[in-house]
Amino acid sequence: MEFFINRSYFLNKITNVSHAISPNSPNPSYSGILIFLHPDMIHLTAQDSTMAIVTEIHPGELNQLRIESTGHMIVDAKYLIEIIRHMGGKNIHVMTVGDNMIQVSDENSKFNLFTLELERFALPDIKRPENEIKISLKNIRTTVDQIAYATSEKDARTMLMGVNFRSDGKRIITAATDSYRMALNYIDGEFSQNFNVTVPVRALQEAARIFKNDDDIIQIFVNKRKIQFVSDRTLIQSTLYDGTFPDIAAVIPKNFKSMMELDASMIIPVIERGILFKDDGVAELRMNLSEKGIQIYSGASTIGNADQQVYEVFYQGEELRMAVNGEYLLQAIKALKTLGKVRIDFTGVITPFKVSDPENKDMTMLVVPMRSSY
Amino acid sequence: MEFFINRSYFLNKITNVSHAISPNSPNPSYSGILIFLHPDMIHLTAQDSTMAIVTEIHPGELNQLRIESTGHMIVDAKYLIEIIRHMGGKNIHVMTVGDNMIQVSDENSKFNLFTLELERFALPDIKRPENEIKISLKNIRTTVDQIAYATSEKDARTMLMGVNFRSDGKRIITAATDSYRMALNYIDGEFSQNFNVTVPVRALQEAARIFKNDDDIIQIFVNKRKIQFVSDRTLIQSTLYDGTFPDIAAVIPKNFKSMMELDASMIIPVIERGILFKDDGVAELRMNLSEKGIQIYSGASTIGNADQQVYEVFYQGEELRMAVNGEYLLQAIKALKTLGKVRIDFTGVITPFKVSDPENKDMTMLVVPMRSSY
């Protein structure tokens, strides 16, 4: 195989597909990128056991691709990327040398890399699942930036490590929870059949990173076992999590005992100071809430404590004394991505409270209070 | 003790002195800052077993210091800094609460921190050594940025872990070596007596970081055992390394077999590509040097190799075939901090070569070639 191509264009494409690679794969061939030259295009594939990314390069003005001879081989992604990143030329020349080497060269330099074993690289099955959904890239990015934080990092119920996408007939609900807090958002999209799938965060992050413009519509193909994100001649495929994801939309409380409204930009630093005091890694904030304002106390037994007053609060309803994991409260407020008002609705001192942006009815955060001696 | 002070001013001062603290001191009191209130000033002290930083705060317009009552205590540096960094008020109020607490407060928040045991904090002996030297801060920064790289990270000859400062009667020579490469610079300064001391890099880094303006003249006081850097009511004291530092100025070769001149901005990326290929962590660059240009080859047995040609070189003298540690060559060239010409003078294929900036006669880098099978 032999081809010429614009260096920075090719660097971008191999970097994109390389994100499918796990740093510690037991199969060394899975640390490589399959470069497959057809007469009229290059096919790049990288994968690990749960994910594959495939992209096509067709000759064009931007990439200056010229294919001299077809063929295929697998090259270690890390070294290939490092070498091409550091090269100086505008265009590069790539070709096989002997049975087990690839040469990348420009005018003044030649780099030879051993290739990896083709037999150990099982081509991923990228057959298209039957169910199609269309979502804007912006909505995928919102899911990554504002919903995925509430997933569980490690859980025997593996589906809690993913973000759930389901249709309610009209819209798409994205939801995440580790059972101590929940994040939920209604987004727009097109679909013809109802679906309910739980997607690994990593697949969403790669879609958010690799695809370009917020306004692009991403085609999503999905069945019970896998999901594909397709745009711009690139396909990101991931396995899905098994199991029944809790119906978070159904558990959002409707009746509240109290509510408060305050400025995100004012309360965030208060909480950040409060969570400096942790016992066993957990920052318990003890809050006294009333129409006179809120008092937030936190302490660490060997270090000290903090006692903070906030008066710039609109509060309505029953006075409450409750304890909350400060990190969870902070993440819920920050995930709203507003510097304006935040509204918190309380159902009681041990039942979940709702954190939301009055300007955005689609997104809801829930946090379960701590059962404290307080 | 009780005082009021401008928050960001105080934060800056406690952060500065806290740099004397080692993260893993066996003595917990050494993780603290001694805050000593005199009737007309605050004295802040932090230390570890080799270093102490002391600073004075006198009442002034900038700091808004108001001392209500004298006294002293030791407070954990990390928490004190974190709390004061996160506070919102312009001014803060600091006072003792009971026997073992300090309270830091502004209008809406109160933070209480347990204090550390005073008895375990031996006050550092900051008696002024007799020998005085004056050096501009700029020259100290140059020493940190361009000479210190050549020190040894770990060596039984501990003095190789420091930067040597010695007078030759007229000027000051700063030098560092790990015995595989050397860096040397002549700087200007005032001194009345000859001296020859080897200073821990960390003390120089703190002086370069804490003091402000390049043009400031730093007073240095030194004897056989310790060094003090004094400026702006702040004192940085460090122990010195024992032992006789090699006289690097005397070993700089005078007679050369060949020389070459090339652009730093051109050769740096060539070397960076070459050192991507390492065996056992060492990137051996094999160089063929002649008037026709230079060829640089490097290889890693399981990964591949690089073969690079550079024609934009002025070369004079004997043709040479030699091997060099690519990282050392790269660091020497980069430490010159020039994007213009670099000159390399060769004495042979196994004896040190000299790397220098033709525009700056004061600074010299030496690198010992590798004894390679090549």
Coordinates of all heavy atoms in Angstrom, one line a residue, chain A residues 37-43 57-59 65 67 70 233:
Chain A
L37 N -6.5 0.6 2.6 CA -6.5 1.4 1.3 C -7.3 0.7 0.3 O -6.9 -0.3 -0.2 CB -5.1 1.7 0.8 CG -4.5 3.0 1.2 CD1 -4.1 2.9 2.7 CD2 -3.4 3.5 0.3
H38 N -8.4 1.3 -0.1 CA -9.2 0.9 -1.3 C -8.8 1.7 -2.5 O -8.1 2.7 -2.3 CB -10.7 1.1 -1.0 CG -11.2 0.3 0.3 ND1 -11.6 -1.0 0.2 CD2 -11.3 0.7 1.5 CE1 -11.9 -1.4 1.5 NE2 -11.7 -0.4 2.3
P39 N -9.2 1.3 -3.7 CA -8.8 2.1 -4.8 C -9.1 3.6 -4.7 O -8.4 4.5 -5.2 CB -9.5 1.5 -6.0 CG -9.8 0.1 -5.6 CD -10.0 0.2 -4.1
D40 N -10.3 3.9 -4.1 CA -10.7 5.3 -4.1 C -10.9 5.9 -2.7 O -11.5 7.0 -2.5 CB -12.0 5.4 -4.9 CG -13.0 4.4 -4.3 OD1 -12.7 3.6 -3.4 OD2 -14.2 4.4 -4.8
M41 N -10.5 5.2 -1.6 CA -10.6 5.8 -0.3 C -9.7 5.1 0.7 O -9.3 3.9 0.5 CB -12.0 5.8 0.2 CG -12.6 4.5 0.5 SD -13.9 4.6 1.7 CE -14.5 2.9 1.8
I42 N -9.5 5.7 1.9 CA -8.9 5.1 3.0 C -9.9 4.9 4.1 O -10.7 5.7 4.3 CB -7.8 5.9 3.6 CG1 -6.7 6.3 2.6 CG2 -7.1 5.2 4.8 CD1 -5.6 7.1 3.1
H43 N -9.9 3.7 4.7 CA -10.7 3.3 5.8 C -9.8 3.2 7.0 O -8.9 2.4 7.0 CB -11.3 1.9 5.4 CG -12.7 1.8 5.8 ND1 -13.7 1.9 4.8 CD2 -13.3 1.5 6.9 CE1 -14.9 1.7 5.4 NE2 -14.7 1.5 6.7
I57 N -11.7 8.3 4.4 CA -11.1 9.5 3.8 C -11.2 9.3 2.3 O -10.6 8.4 1.7 CB -9.6 9.7 4.2 CG1 -9.4 9.7 5.7 CG2 -9.1 11.0 3.6 CD1 -8.0 9.8 6.2
H58 N -11.9 10.2 1.6 CA -12.0 10.2 0.2 C -11.2 11.3 -0.4 O -11.1 12.4 0.2 CB -13.5 10.4 -0.2 CG -14.4 9.3 0.2 ND1 -15.0 8.5 -0.7 CD2 -14.8 8.9 1.4 CE1 -15.7 7.6 -0.1 NE2 -15.6 7.8 1.2
P59 N -10.5 11.1 -1.5 CA -9.7 12.2 -2.1 C -10.4 13.5 -2.2 O -11.6 13.5 -2.6 CB -9.3 11.6 -3.5 CG -9.5 10.2 -3.3 CD -10.6 10.0 -2.4
L65 N -5.4 13.7 -0.9 CA -5.1 12.3 -0.9 C -4.8 11.7 -2.3 O -5.6 12.0 -3.2 CB -6.3 11.5 -0.3 CG -6.2 10.0 -0.4 CD1 -5.0 9.4 0.4 CD2 -7.5 9.4 0.2
I67 N -3.9 7.9 -3.8 CA -3.6 6.5 -3.5 C -2.8 5.9 -4.6 O -3.3 5.9 -5.7 CB -4.9 5.8 -3.2 CG1 -5.6 6.3 -1.9 CG2 -4.7 4.3 -3.1 CD1 -7.0 5.9 -1.7
T70 N -3.2 -0.2 -3.3 CA -4.1 -0.6 -2.2 C -3.4 -1.6 -1.3 O -2.3 -2.0 -1.5 CB -5.4 -1.3 -2.8 OG1 -4.9 -2.4 -3.6 CG2 -6.1 -0.3 -3.7
R233 N -18.9 11.1 7.6 CA -18.2 9.9 7.2 C -17.4 9.2 8.4 O -16.4 8.5 8.2 CB -17.1 10.2 6.1 CG -17.8 10.7 4.9 CD -16.9 10.8 3.7 NE -17.6 11.4 2.6 CZ -17.6 11.0 1.4 NH1 -17.0 9.8 1.1 NH2 -18.3 11.6 0.4

